[in-house]
């Protein structure tokens, strides 16, 4: 399924799922930054996490399903990302905190 770009609070998100998480973070009064920066990983891949939560010094990646775990491209880059990373997977709003790197 192709992601549907969605605007919320003046920001164009790459998907409705990301916009929904922004709405939830706002409802919980959690400050967030969308796609804060692009990192060059040790394997020369580029990676831009979906969110940064400054109060926790935490990067957040949201995925619509758990199928990302079967794709080496995703699991490899998350394993070598050198910051605190939380991956939220499964269907919103019933999600799982899948991995914390």
């Amino acid at each position: 399924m192709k992601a549907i770009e969605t605007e919320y609070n003046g920001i164009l998100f790459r998907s409705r799922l990301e916009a929904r998480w922004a709405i939830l973070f706002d409802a919980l009064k959690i400050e967030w930054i969308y796609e804060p920066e692009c990192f060059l990983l040790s394997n020369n891949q580029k990676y831009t996490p979906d969110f940064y939560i400054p109060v926790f010094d935490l990067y957040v990646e949201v995925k619509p399903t758990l199928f990302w775990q079967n794709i080496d491209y995703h699991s490899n880059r998350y394993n070598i990302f050198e910051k605190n990373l939380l991956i939220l997977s499964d269907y919103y709003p019933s999600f799982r905190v899948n991995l914390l790197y």
Side-chain angles (χ1 to χ4, degrees):
M1 173 184 264
K2 187 178 183 315
I4 299 171
E5 289 184 339
T6 303
E7 185 175 341
Y8 166 69
N9 203 21
I11 298 171
L12 184 61
F13 291 87
R14 294 178 194 262
S15 70
R16 283 187 180 171
L17 179 64
E18 292 172 348
R20 288 175 178 157
W21 279 103
I23 292 166
L24 178 63
F25 293 150
D26 282 349
L28 296 173
K29 300 197 182 322
I30 297 173
E31 179 188 353
W32 53 272
I33 301 168
Y34 179 64
E35 293 190 342
E37 62 184 292
C38 183
F39 294 92
L40 182 62
L41 304 176
S42 61
N43 65 357
N44 289 323
Q45 283 184 328
K46 293 181 180 177
Y47 172 53
T48 304
D50 295 325
F51 293 96
Y52 176 65
I53 310 296
V55 70
F56 300 117
D57 189 26
L58 179 67
Y59 291 86
V60 177
E61 184 73 28
V62 296
K63 293 291 181 200
T65 69
L66 297 173
F67 294 118
W68 67 267
Q69 294 174 314
N70 301 324
I71 302 171
D72 288 340
Y73 169 78
H74 293 296
S75 57
N76 289 343
R77 72 180 172 170
Y78 302 151
N79 280 323
I80 63 174
F81 185 60
E82 296 180 354
K83 308 280 185 181
N84 295 326
L85 178 65
L86 174 69
I87 301 175
L88 301 170
S89 301
D90 222 344
Y91 298 100
Y92 179 93
S94 107
F95 66 94
R96 301 174 193 180
V97 173
N98 191 265
L99 290 173
L100 178 60
Y101 288 93

